[in-house]
Amino acid sequence: MDTKSIPLHPSEVTPKDQYLSRRDFLKQAGIVTAGAALLAACGTSADETPVTPVPQNLSADQETSSLFKELTAEESILSYNNYYEFSTDKERVAKLSKDFQSSPWTIEVGGLVNNPQNFSIEEILGNFSIEERIYRMRCVEAWSMVIPWNGFPLAELLKAVDPTPDAKFVRFETLADPDQMPGLSNGLYPWPYQEGLRLDEALNDLTILSTGLYGETLASQNGAPIRLVVPWKYGFKSIKSIVKIELTAEQPSTFWEDIAPKEYGFYANVNPEIDHPRWSQASERRIGELQRRDTLPFNGYAEEVAHLYEGMDPATLY
Amino acid sequence: MKKLKPLSILVHVGSLLPLAKLIFDFLTNNFSPNPIQDLEQQTGFAAITLLILSLAITPLRTLFNWRAPAKYRRVLGLYAFLYATLHVTVYFAIDYAFDFSLLFEATLEKRYTLIGTISYLLLIPLAITSYKWGMKKIGKNWKKLHKTVYLIAPMLILHFAWARKGDIFSLQGDVLQPLIYGVLVILFLVVRIPVIRRKLISLRK
C-alpha cells in the first residue's frame, strides 16, 4: 500500500461539528466497527484512505470534554503552520510540503539505551496503540489552538528501547532534506531542527508522539509522519517529522536556544508570568476567536506537570 | 485638468495596492486563520516600505541626478502614515480591544512595541505639517522637524526586527527582511551625510 502522505484537499477537511458527532458515534459504536464507520463517514473508498490510526481508547475525563467544545477548526490547523524547513510564511507551508515523502520513514532510537532500534513508521503504527488526546497548543508567538491529536505516550517507545541509568535527557531531530525542504537553504538557521526534554518530562503521560489529528493521518505541514507533542510547553518544543531520538547524559542543545538563548530556553514551559524578552506572554489569541484569552500556567496542565519543577527557580524555566 | 503622469500613477496605485489587497482579502474571506495578525503585519509592512521609499528619493537625485520623483516624497510619507495609523488602530482597538490591563504591559514594558509606539507618535507632527499651511506655520523649523525621520526610520527597523523570532544583531533566525530594510535605511542615510553627498555628486560629474 502506498503510504506516502496524501495532501488533504480543502473539501476533505472535517468540519468541527461533523468530527464531534462522528466521535460521539465512535464512542457508542465501540472500537471494532469504528474504522468502517469512519470510512463511511468520509465517503472515501478504502484504497484512497491513508493509514489512519483510529483512536483506540477515547478518553472522557472532565478536562477533555470541556476542551472538546473549544476545538480549533481542522482547516486552520492544516493551513497555519510554523515549519521553517519549508517556509517562514505560515500560509505557504502546506503548499510547499504537499509532495513531502513521509514514507518510507525510519526513526532511529539510540544513545544511552540497552536496546537501540530503528522503527519504520509502519512498525510504530503497528506496535503502539493510538489514542486520542485533545490538547491546547500555545505558540511562543502568543496564538493558540486546541487540537485533537492521535498518538501514543512517548514513554512507551522509550520503554521499548530501555534507557540505561545514565540517560538523563532525550534529544530529537527533524529530517533535513534540502531536496524536499526549500527553507533549509536559509543559512540564518542552525539546521537540522533539534529539540530536547529531560527524561522525566519525556516519561510524563502527557508527552506523546503523534501520528495524526482529527482522526486523519498527520499532514506534512503538521509534521508527518510522526511528531512530538508536549502540551505544557511552547509549540516549538513539539518537534516535527522526527528521524532520530537519542538518550543522552547531558542536556542537548535545541534549535531555538542556539538562535537566541536568552529568549527561547531549554524548558520553555508556558508561563504567563515570564515574558518573552520582547513581547508579553500574559495573553494569547485562540485561533478562531476575536478576543484575547489569559494564558494559563503550564498551558493549563499545572496539575499534571508542576511537580516536575519543584525546587527549581521559575526564572530559569522559560 | 492636469495630465496624469505615469510616475504619478505608479506612486498612487502602488501605494494603494496593499490597502486594496486588505479590502479584497476581507471581502473574499482570504485572510489566514489569524486575521488580526494579518492586518497588523500587512499594514506595518506597507508603512515601513513606503517610508523607506520616501527616504530613497534624495539618494536618487544625489546618485543619478534624477529629480522627477522629488515631488512624491510627501505623498509617500503620507501613505506611510496612513498605513501606520491603520496598524496602530488595529493593534489598540482590535487586537487588544482597548484592554488597558493587558496593553500597559504589552506596549510600554516591551521594547518592540514601545519603540513602535514612540515612532508613531513622532510621525504625527510630520504628517500634520506636511502641507503648505503646516510648512508656513512652523517656518524655518520645518526642515529640522522633518529630519526626525532619520531617527524614526532606524527605530522602525528595530521594531520590525524585534517582532520576529530571531536575533538581528547575531544574524540568526527570521531576520532577513528586516536586515535588508535596515541596510537600505543605512545606505539612504549615509548618502545624506554632506561629505559623502558632495563626493558622490562630484563623481557623477
Side-chain angles (χ1 to χ4, degrees), chain A residues 80 189 275 278 285 292, chain B residues 37 95 105 162 164 173-174:
Chain A
Y80 196 67
Y189 299 92
D275 284 340
R278 289 180 283 125
R285 163 147 298 104
R292 286 182 165 264
Chain B
Q37 196 180 50
D95 193 347
E105 190 217 356
W162 284 342
R164 297 297 185 93
D174 186 15

Side-chain angles (χ1 to χ4, degrees), chain B residues 57-72:
Chain B
I57 284 168
T58 301
L60 283 175
R61 191 176 58 200
T62 309
L63 292 169
F64 310 110
N65 199 26
W66 192 29
R67 288 159 188 275
K71 64 169 134 181
Y72 299 109

